[in-house]
Amino acid sequence: MKLEAALLECPVVAIVRGIRPDEAVDHVQALYETGVRGVEVPLNSPEPLESIRRIAEAFVGRMAIGAGTVLDAAAVDAVAAVGGRIIVAPNTSPEVIVRAVALGLDPAPGFATATEAFAALDAGARHLKLFPAVTYGPAHLKQLKAVLPDEAVVWAVGGVGPDSMADWWAAGARAFGLGGELYRAGQPVADTAAKAARVVEAARALR
């Protein structure tokens, strides 16, 4: 599934940091059943590429799958090789963005300032991850949106949860990356399902 289509169905990307390959598909199935359509496996998780491979194979055409904490072009290549399509980073690295675009992937680089946002856009990104969002707040994003092009899709990531999504949406965010609000390493699948249900309910209320 293309990233744009996934976010149209539900503007949430689940960040499953710390997930193991043997449990990845079960937790993502719980996310899928509640309505989440985007999943990011951070590369500082155990055997992240194997988790991405298993998820991508199990949910081909049904979810947008990718990696987080992607810091160099070699990592972009590795993620692409196992079926990942989303390339999420905590920073603005033109090298990562250019490589992802060249491979037909969707980069979502991290930014905090107008300078970083336009550097990312100039390198070919269209999705911009405000990170850590909680540090800057919705007012910061509202001011940035006044100068960002309409086609730039801003994600609010870091300290965002179902109780604050409406404020971020009003400020111009059109996607959310949620980690601990959805998944913490070692939690039961039932907890993932319960958390996801609350998040998806909040996301649907935005529209």
Side-chain angles (χ1 to χ4, degrees):
M1 175 179 275
K2 293 284 190 180
L3 179 57
E4 286 76 12
L7 295 178
L8 191 60
E9 283 197 36
C10 180
V12 173
V13 175
I15 304 167
V16 290
R17 189 180 307 279
I19 204 161
R20 302 187 315 271
D22 63 293
E23 61 183 354
V25 171
D26 289 341
H27 282 277
V28 175
Q29 180 66 35
L31 293 167
Y32 178 81
E33 289 176 358
T34 58
V36 175
R37 294 293 180 264
V39 176
E40 164 197 333
V41 179
L43 292 184
N44 55 1
S45 302
E47 299 182 74
L49 296 174
E50 178 61 17
S51 289
I52 293 168
R53 184 187 67 76
R54 294 189 188 190
I55 296 167
E57 289 179 356
F59 296 91
V60 62
R62 296 190 292 154
M63 297 187 81
I65 310 298
T69 321
V70 182
L71 301 178
D72 54 46
V76 176
D77 290 345
V79 172
V82 294
R85 306 292 303 171
I86 313 170
I87 302 297
V88 186
N91 61 328
T92 299
S93 168
E95 172 196 13
V96 168
I97 298 166
V98 168
R99 185 58 181 161
V101 171
L103 293 176
L105 310 181
D106 292 304
F111 83 103
T113 66
T115 299
E116 293 168 340
F118 281 99
L121 292 170
D122 288 345
R126 288 297 171 263
H127 293 261
L128 304 174
K129 166 185 163 180
L130 179 61
F131 178 79
V134 70
T135 304
Y136 300 97
H140 179 72
L141 175 56
K142 186 175 182 180
Q143 295 301 313
L144 286 169
K145 284 291 292 181
V147 297
L148 292 176
D150 290 340
E151 62 267 23
V153 180
V154 178
W155 302 18
V157 183
V160 178
D163 295 333
S164 62
M165 287 166 65
D167 291 338
W168 284 105
W169 190 268
R174 287 299 176 265
F176 305 90
L178 273 65
E181 292 283 353
L182 282 172
Y183 175 82
R184 292 187 183 277
Q187 76 182 24
V189 173
D191 287 4
T192 301
K195 290 180 178 181
R198 183 166 179 256
V199 166
V200 171
E201 181 181 12
R204 287 174 175 160
L206 299 174
R207 295 168 172 163

